[in-house]
């Protein structure tokens, strides 16, 4: 059994490390640790923002904030809600422009649903390319849109605001220089110079790009610009101007929401300028929703003029009205849409795959936030007094403390729900019910309890979305979820310090257990929450070493052979080559085969086994990749399983099409040119001395077949491949029946047959012929096998995939598809793509697309290069064939 080529190459590099400059070394380190560095910077900015807000609110107490909240007039609240509705209607203009830019057509209802939910979730969660993009991909892929088109729409919608902010800020400054100077504490002349410079630079850049446009503009609503050797696809001039107007209206509507909530009315131009700067800072900080950063800038600009308490109250209401309210509505709309989609196929669907799990994970995370923030603030005195008559004080204190711990667990369990773990579902459901009871006990917080009960009910409705039986302790470490949890706990401690800043600290506070001891209860809850988070985080980080990726032993190969035999996926027989690792499902009735190359773990085909286990194995493989800090790649997967790959954050690119002959429809005696040619091949081959015989496993004359294989390899000037191709070896061929074509009694060609006991589908792997075999030998073999399987009651016969077949050559198609289509049409010197397609078309097959599933944002060429190296047996195999 040969070594894994990727392991051999890594050992060779380790033995002979390349000479690199210090600069390249630092760049490599930054690239390798870019995620933890980014998370660390985000945490630092969030901490700085909290400290800044604390400094600016040092003289304000909770009573002043409470009075300011109550003093906001109802017409102002109504106007803010109306402005929010108008703002989100304007946001749909982004979606319309994005669809035009990507040259896609979607039903108006779908476009409205996708635009509203993507922006509502993106505004609250941040990382709009991932959060909003994931929502769009889920909704739009159901209408035939590919990952590239959705990525273009998301990128356009995300960058539109950032690109328009500088000129809009410059125009806002020029509109009222004196008030802008007061707000920003800068001289008028400096602000005017900055504004004019920004507008001139923007105009100059636009002119330069327009002058570099290509004369042939074949894509509607797009401007193709040549910069060096690259061609950029930019929105057309008309679309750009229209989007600038939409962005201006969007920012004005969002600013109006906050402006209406202010106690006084500063000049709108100056306020809009500061709002634009705060918005830009929040986006650039990558803090979810810009929380803390956005508020710090507005407090620095207007706290002295408007008062810290009224401004803080306006900012809090702004977050609730413009961010939280649309988020909750979007979550409920998506869950309702998901329920409608699943209900008609409730009996047919064994695995629920969709948006329910990530949306519910978000709601559970918000429930944790509510519990922690509630634990850091005082209870309403009147409610506490009523509860105190019926419930012992110690039980109230215990309920307050345990509710905060439940909040921390909800934050952490959100990841388990996102990964569809049934254990996370069960534990979260119990915690939410317990949290609702505790909320009533600690101070009759019926609003908080209602939210928890509603979330628990939604979890119960979508039970089938959490189908993975994996244990919670097997969850891979997630820096993103840990950072988010740390931010929430940190914000709750900040809220505690703010709410009780007038309470003098003493050691006795920890041991006060009276009914009116709000500060001691909050201190104990904060300490318990922080300690619990630290314990879970350390347990998460200090677990046992990650599992070793190794080639399978004889027992694992025998188990894989047994699973393949019982399945309807004969291609799973490729696992028996022994050159791929095997990931077994805990139930033992499914597996996934994969190899390691560079930073990629590449799985071959869909998991082998029942539908339920396939979905679970895909997540299991994603967990394995996260543990090894590798990118998951799935090679040659079917369209019916794409929703499962979307669940783990992958997108699909088309590789080609597989030809499958429907044996029930295949009739060699039918009329038509194709069948006439096949009849001629079969009859002529028989007359010329060709015959087909099939040997049972282990019975084929391998010595004679080795002569054919060696001659074939020599004649083609190739060596044995791997990964997605079998190789000639007794250890591999012993598992299969072997078809042999004899010419005048002498073997001249052979193929090993991939079969299962279910007889749904049959295929083949190695198919080799001696260079001196008759010309019609291979076609004779295919006809003979098709007739053999038809006679034995099989449903279909696979002729294999034609790479790059069916890719779109149009100008607006994704780059990978256009390159693939060009190679398919003009790359006959590299591989006979079209000839292979014509050969298989003779058998009148059904053509089914095959895909590669890769992480969103990853260049597909990287995944293709890693896979090609695995098939070729290493980088040298790509050169030496």
């Amino acid at each position: 059994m040969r070594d894994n080529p990727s392991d051999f190459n890594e050992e060779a590099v380790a033995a002979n490390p390349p000479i690199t400059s210090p600069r390249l070394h630092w760049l490599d380190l930054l690239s390798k640790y870019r995620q933890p560095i980014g998370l660390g910077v985000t945490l630092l900015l969030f901490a700085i923002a909290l400290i800044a807000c604390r400094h600016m609110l040092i003289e304000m107490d909770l009573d002043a904030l409470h009075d300011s909240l109550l003093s906001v007039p109802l017409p102002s609240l109504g106007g803010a809600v109306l402005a929010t509705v108008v703002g989100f209607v304007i946001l749909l203009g982004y979606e319309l422009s994005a669809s035009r830019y990507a040259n896609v057509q979607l039903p108006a209802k779908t476009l409205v649903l996708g635009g509203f939910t993507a922006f509502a979730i993106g505004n609250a969660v941040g990382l709009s390319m991932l959060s909003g993009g994931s929502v769009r991909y889920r909704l739009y892929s159901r209408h035939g849109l590919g990952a590239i088109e959705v990525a273009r729409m998301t990128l356009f919608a995300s960058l539109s605001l950032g690109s328009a902010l500088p000129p809009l800020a410059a125009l806002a400054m020029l509109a009222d220089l004196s008030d802008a100077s007061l707000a920003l504490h800068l001289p008028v002349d400096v602000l005017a110079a900055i504004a004019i410079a920004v507008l001139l630079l923007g105009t100059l850049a636009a002119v330069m790009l327009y002058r570099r446009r290509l004369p042939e503009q074949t894509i509607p609503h797009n401007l193709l610009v040549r910069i060096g050797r690259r061609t950029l696809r930019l929105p057309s001039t008309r679309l750009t101007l229209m989007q600038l107007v939409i962005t201006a209206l969007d920012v004005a509507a969002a600013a109006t929401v906050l402006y209406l909530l202010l106690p006084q009315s500063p000049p709108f131009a100056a306020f809009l300028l500061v709002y634009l700067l705060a918005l830009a800072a929040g986006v650039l900080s990558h803090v979810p929703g810009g929380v803390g950063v956005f508020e710090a800038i507005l407090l620095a600009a207007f706290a002295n003029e408007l008062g810290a308490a009224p401004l803080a109250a306006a900012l809090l209401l702004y977050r609730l009205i413009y961010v939280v309210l649309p988020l909750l509505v979007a979550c409920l709309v998506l869950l309702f849409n998901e329920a409608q989609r699943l209900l008609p196929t409730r009996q047919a669907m064994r695995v629920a795959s969709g948006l329910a799990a990530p949306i519910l994970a978000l709601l559970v995370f918000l429930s944790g936030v509510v519990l922690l923030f509630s634990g850091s603030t005082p209870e309403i005195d009147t409610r506490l007094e009523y509860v105190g008559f019926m419930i012992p004080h110690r039980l109230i204190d215990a309920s307050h403390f345990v509710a905060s711990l439940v909040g921390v667990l909800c934050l952490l369990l959100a990841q388990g729900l996102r990964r569809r773990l049934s254990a996370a579902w069960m534990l979260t459901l119990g915690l939410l019910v317990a949290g609702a009871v505790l909320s009533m006990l600690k101070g009759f917080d019926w609003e908080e309890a209602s939210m928890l009960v509603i979330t628990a009910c939604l979890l119960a409705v979508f039970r089938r979305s959490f189908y993975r039986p994996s244990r919670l302790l097997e969850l891979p470490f997630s820096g993103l979820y840990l950072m988010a949890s740390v931010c929430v706990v940190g914000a709750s401690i900040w809220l505690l310090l703010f709410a009780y800043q007038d309470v003098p600290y003493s050691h006795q506070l920890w041991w006060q257990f009276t009914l009116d001891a709000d500060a001691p209860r909050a201190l104990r809850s904060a300490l318990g929450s922080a300690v619990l988070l630290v314990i879970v985080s350390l347990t998460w980080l200090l677990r046992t070493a990650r599992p070793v990726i190794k080639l399978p032993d004889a027992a694992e190969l025998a188990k894989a052979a047994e699973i393949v035999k019982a399945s309807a996926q004969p291609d799973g027989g490729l696992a028996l080559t022994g050159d791929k690792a095997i990931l077994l499902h805990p139930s033992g009735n499914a597996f996934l085969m994969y190899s390691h190359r560079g930073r990629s773990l590449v799985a071959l085909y869909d998991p082998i086994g029942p539908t339920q286990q396939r979905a679970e194995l895909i997540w299991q493989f994603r967990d394995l990749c996260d543990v090894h800090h590798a990118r998951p790649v799935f090679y040659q997967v079917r369209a019916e399983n794409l929703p499962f790959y979307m669940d783990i954050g992958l997108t699909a690119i088309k590789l080609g099409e597989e030809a499958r002959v429907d044996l029930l429809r295949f009739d060699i005696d039918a009329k038509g040119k194709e069948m006439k040619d096949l009849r001629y091949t079969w009859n002529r081959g028989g007359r010329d001395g060709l015959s087909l015989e099939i040997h049972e496993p282990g019975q084929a004359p391998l010595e004679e077949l080795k002569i054919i294989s060696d001659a074939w390899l020599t004649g083609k000037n190739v060596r044995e491949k791997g990964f997605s191709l079998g190789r000639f070896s007794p250890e591999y061929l012993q598992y299969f029946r072997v078809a042999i074509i004899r010419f005048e009694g002498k073997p001249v060609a052979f193929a090993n047959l991939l079969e299962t006991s279910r007889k749904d589908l049959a295929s083949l792997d190695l198919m080799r012929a001696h260079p001196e075999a008759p010309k019609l030998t291979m076609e004779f073999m295919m006809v003979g096998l098709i007739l053999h399987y038809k006679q034995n009651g099989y449903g279909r016969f696979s002729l294999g995939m034609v790479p790059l077949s069916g890719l779109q050559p149009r100008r607006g198609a994704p780059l990978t598809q256009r390159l693939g289509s060009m190679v398919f049409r003009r790359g006959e010197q590299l591989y006979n793509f079209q000839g292979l397609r014509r050969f298989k078309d003779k058998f009148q097959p059904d053509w089914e697309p095959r895909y590669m599933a890769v992480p969103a944002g990853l260049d597909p060429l990287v995944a293709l290069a890693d896979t090609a190296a695995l098939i070729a047996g290493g980088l040298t195999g790509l050169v030496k064939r």
Side-chain angles (χ1 to χ4, degrees), residues 482-519:
L482 181 59
M483 183 207 71
S485 301
V486 169
C487 285
V488 172
V489 172
S492 68
I493 294 174
W494 181 95
L495 192 58
L496 164 70
L497 297 176
F498 168 75
Y500 301 107
Q501 58 184 324
D502 294 333
V503 177
Y505 175 80
S506 65
H507 293 293
Q508 287 74 23
L509 280 177
W510 297 98
W511 312 109
Q512 291 182 12
F513 295 96
T514 59
L515 184 64
D516 59 350
D518 287 327

Side-chain angles (χ1 to χ4, degrees), residues 249-263:
L249 294 174
D250 164 41
V251 174
T256 301
V257 177
L258 180 56
Y259 189 76
L260 290 174
L261 297 171
L262 296 175

Side-chain angles (χ1 to χ4, degrees), residues 220-298:
H221 308 295
N222 280 246
L223 186 69
L224 300 178
V225 177
R226 175 77 70 181
I227 298 180
R229 296 182 178 181
R230 293 190 175 186
T231 301
L232 296 181
R233 179 174 169 176
L234 303 176
S236 64
T237 305
R238 181 178 179 182
L239 189 60
T240 300
L241 293 175
M242 182 176 73
Q243 190 56 40
L244 189 64
V245 173
I246 292 173
T247 305
L249 294 174
D250 164 41
V251 174
T256 301
V257 177
L258 180 56
Y259 189 76
L260 290 174
L261 297 171
L262 296 175
Q264 304 173 31
S265 299
F268 188 74
F271 174 79
L272 181 61
L273 172 61
V274 177
Y275 181 88
L276 286 168
L277 295 177
L279 193 62
V283 171
L284 293 175
S285 69
H286 292 290
V287 175
V291 176
V293 180
F294 176 83
E295 284 80 4
I297 292 177
L298 283 163

Side-chain angles (χ1 to χ4, degrees), residues 471-490:
R471 293 181 299 175
L472 285 173
L473 294 178
E474 295 175 353
L475 268 178
F477 173 77
S478 172
L480 183 61
Y481 274 89
L482 181 59
M483 183 207 71
S485 301
V486 169
C487 285
V488 172
V489 172

Side-chain angles (χ1 to χ4, degrees), residues 317-633:
L317 290 172
Y318 169 81
R319 285 288 184 185
L320 292 174
I321 294 173
Y322 191 75
V323 178
V324 177
L325 180 61
L327 172 65
L328 295 177
V329 172
C331 289
L332 294 176
V333 168
L334 284 175
L335 289 175
F336 179 75
N337 180 72
E338 198 72 11
Q340 281 187 317
R341 187 178 70 89
L342 296 178
L343 281 177
T345 56
R346 178 171 51 192
Q347 300 300 326
M349 287 194 62
R350 300 180 63 186
V351 177
S353 172
L355 282 166
I359 294 301
L360 287 169
L362 178 59
L363 289 177
V364 168
F365 191 88
L366 288 177
S367 299
V369 174
V370 170
L371 284 171
L372 283 169
F373 285 6
S374 173
S376 299
T377 53
E379 298 292 340
I380 300 176
D381 292 336
T382 53
R383 294 184 183 180
L384 197 59
E385 290 176 3
Y386 294 145
V387 172
F389 281 114
M390 299 178 289
I391 301 173
H393 298 174
R394 291 298 178 90
L395 180 57
I396 294 175
D397 290 336
S399 301
H400 198 281
F401 181 78
V402 177
S404 295
L405 300 185
V406 170
V408 173
L409 293 176
C410 286
L411 299 181
L412 298 171
L413 284 170
Q415 186 198 5
L417 294 174
R418 176 65 184 87
R419 292 178 177 267
R420 300 177 180 270
L421 298 182
S422 58
W425 175 87
M426 186 177 300
L427 183 57
T428 304
L429 188 63
L431 287 174
L432 288 174
V433 173
V437 174
L438 293 170
S439 296
M440 297 298 290
L441 292 176
K442 71 177 184 178
F444 199 67
D445 290 335
W446 62 268
E447 302 93 344
E448 183 179 307
S450 299
M451 177 184 176
L452 298 178
V453 169
I454 291 172
T455 306
C457 291
L458 291 173
L459 272 177
V461 169
F462 289 93
R463 168 66 183 92
R464 290 183 302 114
S465 295
F466 306 93
Y467 49 78
R468 295 184 60 199
S470 302
R471 293 181 299 175
L472 285 173
L473 294 178
E474 295 175 353
L475 268 178
F477 173 77
S478 172
L480 183 61
Y481 274 89
L482 181 59
M483 183 207 71
S485 301
V486 169
C487 285
V488 172
V489 172
S492 68
I493 294 174
W494 181 95
L495 192 58
L496 164 70
L497 297 176
F498 168 75
Y500 301 107
Q501 58 184 324
D502 294 333
V503 177
Y505 175 80
S506 65
H507 293 293
Q508 287 74 23
L509 280 177
W510 297 98
W511 312 109
Q512 291 182 12
F513 295 96
T514 59
L515 184 64
D516 59 350
D518 287 327
R521 275 194 293 268
L523 277 174
R524 290 189 291 267
S525 298
L527 178 62
S529 302
V531 170
L532 179 61
L533 181 60
V534 169
I535 292 174
V536 174
S537 301
L538 289 177
T539 304
W540 210 354
L541 287 168
L542 301 178
R543 286 181 301 179
T544 56
R546 60 190 182 187
V548 177
I549 297 175
K550 62 180 182 65
L551 297 180
D553 55 26
E556 289 175 316
L557 290 176
K559 184 64 178 177
E562 177 186 335
I563 294 171
V564 172
K565 197 69 176 176
S567 74
Q569 300 163 270
D571 288 342
L574 268 295
L576 305 178
T577 57
D579 66 345
K580 293 172 284 292
I582 291 178
L583 181 65
L584 277 171
H585 189 272
S587 65
N589 64 346
F591 73 91
L592 177 149
M593 48 185 158
Y594 68 97
S595 287
H596 179 224
R597 178 71 199 179
R599 291 183 56 203
S600 299
L601 287 183
V602 185
L604 178 62
Y605 305 133
D606 297 298
I608 310 300
T611 303
Q612 176 79 27
Q613 282 71 24
R614 285 206 299 269
E616 294 168 8
L617 269 171
I618 290 170
W619 269 109
Q620 194 176 337
F621 185 69
R622 175 58 190 264
D623 291 345
L624 180 69
C625 291
D626 288 345
V627 168
H628 287 274
H629 305 292
R631 47 181 170 247
V633 177

